[in-house]
Amino acid sequence: MTSDIKTSSKKASESEPEKPPPKDYGLHPLVTEQAAKDIWLMLLTFRCINALLVRTFFQPDEYFQSLEPAWQMAFGPQSGAWITWEWHRQLRSSLHPALFAGVYFAADKAMIFLGFFPQFRAMLLVVLPNLLQAYFAAVGDYYTWQLAERIYGTGSKVSKAATTMTIMALYFWPWELSTSTVLGEGSDVSQQITAQAAPAKTRTGLFNTSRSLKHLRISLLLAGAACILRPTNALIWFSIFMPTLSGLLSKRAPLSDYLVLFREIVVCGSTILLISFISDYLYYGEWTFPPYQFLHFNISQNLAVFYGRNDWHYYLSQGLPLLLTTYLPFTLVALYQTSSQSSSDIRFLFTTTILLTLGSLSLISHKEVRFIYPLLPLFHILTAPTISAFFRAAPATSSSTLSNPPLARHNPLLAIILILNILIAGYTTQVHQCGVLSVLKFLRSEYEILALDARGLPLPKNSFDPTETFVAFLMPCHSTPWRSQLIHPNLHAWALTCSPPLHLAAHTAEREAYRDEADRFYDDTQKFLREEVGTRERPWPRYVVGFAGIEGDLRTWYESEMKGFKVKERWRMGNSQWHDDWRRVGDVVVWEFVDGSLGAEV
């Protein structure tokens, strides 16, 4: 009877068609290698040009949670960096800003050694973080494309449509442990294991080469770093690791592979934790673990809702449309199609990862579209075949794709989508919220004219008082970047704050009624100016920056209280045609207080 079962099992196995590996489309390995180099250079060039041309503001955290602490690391506590409450409460890992701090420090020392004037050094320090981020983005783009090639085949049209930012770790992860998808010749894993592989006794280990082991370690180190920097990234890696554990239980791969995997998880995880502990100790001056603090404050104390509450369907009704724009219909079709794939298919694994992450983040009251940005590469990889199939008809004959390429179709719709994407990209990178960045360039230039000579040396005190408050920002907190754009440490400034009520217990009437500094300013502008400006902490400055909506209250109060002085508009620039925060509507304006007896234009 046992023999019959074995025979039957063998026949069933032989009768199942083996999944063919993705095609390589007849490309010579040298051609593929050169194409990869060309694509990398193209991506890096594009990202650098894009980084230098972007002139709009996206989100405060891109400055206050990375560049400001990096500035303090590089130039010291007297450099004027704005360190927000999250850093004082040890909610953030120091690893991310440490990257920028190293670039700041090295570049500044090199420019000082070469004798660059401070004005020119300031210009370069402003753009350096953009170029570093451009490199990271290009690396993400490249490995998204490489991962798509492993799934769909080297040289396929589908994989080229999937180029976007992702985490390199997804590329290096040993997918053969958790999926039955056959990876193509572009795979960097030397031994490929599938559901239709030979019996276990004839299998060779997946990690029996130094190269495969190296790639596993790269993947684990990057995954660990991603989770340290943003603890919610653990949702993605939980979704990826569970099928691997399931594969162990089903004995899809030799036991030795899983022993190696768990050994490397322990070693690489411990390495990342050790680096994180040391870095945070050097920055904070004591032993701490920011991911725990992050979860404690945002979940246990429910402080995230202080920055807004969103409906449970936010990511479905707003997040995905904002993230995917014109790709959204194709992505929905792709998710529906891949959800019916075999559970051992890598595309099904990506789909479950997306759904689990979206579902988990939807349970949290405070939601932002940037929280689901790590899913964008997976969306694009899954969507690429749907877009490719929609706009490219299959060839009439079964000859090779290179000699008989697919026929283009739906060209008018494709043109509309491309034009819409170009318009959206142009508007969001050149127009929407450009004023809040341009105003800092104006202020920095004004300071250099008033306070520095032609060689960048400070002017005598009788020409410019280095202790004066140069500018105040009467805007919702973090409406503009800070020291990473102002640069000069003696350009003294202050701005409205919005720190949460850390001293008040959760779910109390006092916390619900709490109003931060920015709230109090917009609740009653003239009362705030009368009671909270002109103090030691908030002295009257040379310039005031604000959105156009406060001009009436500012002019009325100042000119009535400060007899003989006038409010003069010094600079104005459009910022955006719309905004979801009514306080940020209108132009960005710089006002100057002048002696009215001089007959200055106002």
Side-chain angles (χ1 to χ4, degrees), residues 338-360:
T338 54
S339 63
S340 61
Q341 297 284 342
S342 167
S343 61
S344 60
D345 191 292
I346 192 172
R347 293 167 296 176
F348 179 84
L349 180 56
F350 283 174
T351 301
T352 56
T353 299
I354 289 170
L355 296 178
L356 176 65
T357 304
L358 288 176
S360 300

Side-chain angles (χ1 to χ4, degrees), residues 299-319:
I299 297 178
S300 299
Q301 296 197 13
N302 201 32
L303 282 172
V305 299
F306 180 73
Y307 296 103
R309 297 174 183 266
N310 303 88
D311 296 327
W312 65 268
H313 54 76
Y314 170 83
Y315 289 121
L316 299 178
S317 59
Q318 300 179 52

Side-chain angles (χ1 to χ4, degrees), residues 64 80 82 440 443 467-478 480-483 486 491-497 517-518 521 525 528-546 550 554 593:
F64 291 93
W82 185 335
L440 298 179
L443 293 171
T467 64
E468 80 165 35
T469 300
F470 192 75
V471 60
F473 294 82
L474 296 178
M475 318 169 85
C477 71
H478 303 158
T480 70
W482 199 249
R483 196 57 57 182
L486 294 174
L491 196 166
H492 301 295
W494 60 265
L496 301 179
T497 62
E517 196 172 50
F521 173 76
T525 299
F528 184 92
L529 294 175
R530 180 173 60 255
E531 297 180 357
E532 301 193 45
V533 180
T535 64
R536 182 177 180 181
E537 294 77 17
R538 295 284 185 263
W540 280 105
R542 177 185 292 258
Y543 295 119
V544 166
V545 179
I550 71 168
L554 177 65
F593 304 122

Side-chain angles (χ1 to χ4, degrees), residues 75-92:
F75 303 115
Q78 304 304 317
S79 59
W82 185 335
I83 306 302
T84 60
W85 69 272
E86 292 96 334
W87 293 93
H88 293 296
R89 293 286 178 164
Q90 303 175 357
L91 268 66
R92 306 297 187 195

Side-chain angles (χ1 to χ4, degrees), residues 115-161:
F116 289 3
F117 289 169
Q119 295 93 324
F120 186 67
R121 296 202 331 253
M123 292 173 57
L124 293 182
L125 289 174
V126 166
V127 302
L128 276 179
N130 300 32
L131 295 176
L132 181 60
Q133 289 284 47
Y135 176 80
F136 291 149
V139 170
D141 290 341
Y142 178 80
Y143 279 100
T144 299
W145 168 67
Q146 286 283 287
L147 180 58
E149 291 231 320
R150 290 184 64 182
I151 297 172
Y152 300 120
T154 303
S156 69
K157 301 300 180 184
V158 169
S159 63
K160 289 181 174 62

Side-chain angles (χ1 to χ4, degrees), residues 70-265:
W71 192 271
Q72 185 189 60
M73 290 181 189
F75 303 115
Q78 304 304 317
S79 59
W82 185 335
I83 306 302
T84 60
W85 69 272
E86 292 96 334
W87 293 93
H88 293 296
R89 293 286 178 164
Q90 303 175 357
L91 268 66
R92 306 297 187 195
S93 170
S94 59
L95 290 177
H96 186 229
L99 295 173
F100 296 97
V103 173
Y104 275 143
F105 183 82
D108 189 62
K109 292 300 181 184
M111 288 188 289
I112 291 175
F113 177 77
L114 295 173
F116 289 3
F117 289 169
Q119 295 93 324
F120 186 67
R121 296 202 331 253
M123 292 173 57
L124 293 182
L125 289 174
V126 166
V127 302
L128 276 179
N130 300 32
L131 295 176
L132 181 60
Q133 289 284 47
Y135 176 80
F136 291 149
V139 170
D141 290 341
Y142 178 80
Y143 279 100
T144 299
W145 168 67
Q146 286 283 287
L147 180 58
E149 291 231 320
R150 290 184 64 182
I151 297 172
Y152 300 120
T154 303
S156 69
K157 301 300 180 184
V158 169
S159 63
K160 289 181 174 62
T163 303
T164 189
M165 189 170 62
T166 191
I167 303 171
M168 289 170 58
L170 290 175
Y171 171 74
F172 290 111
W173 181 257
W175 295 106
E176 291 81 354
L177 288 178
S178 51
T179 74
S180 63
T181 303
V182 183
L183 299 182
E185 293 183 5
S187 170
D188 287 295
V189 182
S190 59
Q191 300 296 330
Q192 300 172 356
I193 301 174
T194 70
Q196 293 79 27
K201 64 180 181 180
T202 63
R203 295 175 183 171
T204 57
L206 185 63
F207 307 115
N208 64 344
T209 66
S210 59
R211 188 181 187 188
S212 60
L213 194 59
K214 173 186 174 182
H215 284 184
L216 173 65
R217 288 170 179 167
I218 292 174
S219 178
L220 292 173
L221 290 172
L222 290 170
C227 294
I228 289 292
L229 297 180
R230 189 75 184 180
T232 51
N233 282 333
L235 292 171
I236 296 176
W237 288 101
F238 173 81
S239 303
I240 290 172
F241 181 75
M242 288 309 294
T244 303
L245 182 60
S246 175
L248 171 62
L249 298 177
S250 63
K251 298 182 180 179
R252 177 175 292 150
L255 179 61
S256 60
D257 283 344
Y258 292 96
L259 293 177
V260 171
L261 176 63
F262 283 104
R263 181 196 70 194
E264 295 302 322
I265 288 175

